[in-house]
Amino acid sequence: MHKLARLACMAFAVLLPAAAHAQTGADAIRKGHELAISLCAECHLNPGQGEKQGAMGIPGFSAVANRPLQTYDGVVSWLASIPPMMPNHNLSQDEMHALAAYIMSLRK
């Protein structure tokens, strides 16, 4: 019984934060846009910026959003991984979800 209870707790711990932070409404998009302007614009929000070119290229957020298999959860997972090629902005869960909402709002 202990194993079952432990598995239930682990599932709850994984699923609850995702559900609690799955903000995709206008407020989350607005907050994500504000974060993008203050933290990410220099590298990811340049006019006409597309997908990265070469190993050192930096993709624009529209290009990230429009990758064929891109998802909201994929963006959150990427941000949570603290990619080594990006500065560590010490984003909170709420900030990661807001940025994901903003980025995915750019999907066409």
Side-chain angles (χ1 to χ4, degrees), residues 12-63:
F12 185 72
V14 169
L15 296 175
L16 182 61
H21 294 291
Q23 304 173 25
T24 55
D27 287 340
I29 293 169
R30 179 192 46 75
K31 181 179 177 183
H33 183 250
E34 290 170 1
L35 285 166
I37 295 299
S38 66
L39 299 176
C40 315
E42 185 176 332
C43 297
H44 292 284
L45 295 175
N46 297 304
Q49 186 176 19
E51 189 55 81
K52 68 181 185 175
Q53 300 295 317
M56 298 302 291
I58 299 172
F61 278 163
S62 290

Side-chain angles (χ1 to χ4, degrees), residues 3-105:
K3 273 188 176 179
L4 185 58
R6 188 177 317 149
L7 285 174
C9 287
M10 286 171 41
F12 185 72
V14 169
L15 296 175
L16 182 61
H21 294 291
Q23 304 173 25
T24 55
D27 287 340
I29 293 169
R30 179 192 46 75
K31 181 179 177 183
H33 183 250
E34 290 170 1
L35 285 166
I37 295 299
S38 66
L39 299 176
C40 315
E42 185 176 332
C43 297
H44 292 284
L45 295 175
N46 297 304
Q49 186 176 19
E51 189 55 81
K52 68 181 185 175
Q53 300 295 317
M56 298 302 291
I58 299 172
F61 278 163
S62 290
V64 171
N66 286 293
R67 289 176 177 163
L69 300 176
Q70 189 62 273
T71 65
Y72 174 92
D73 290 334
V75 174
V76 173
S77 293
W78 174 258
L79 293 170
S81 74
I82 309 171
M85 71 287 296
M86 291 180 13
N88 182 356
H89 293 296
N90 297 303
L91 298 171
S92 70
Q93 286 291 315
D94 285 340
E95 289 169 330
M96 285 185 252
H97 285 275
L99 279 167
Y102 169 66
I103 291 168
M104 293 309 293
S105 77

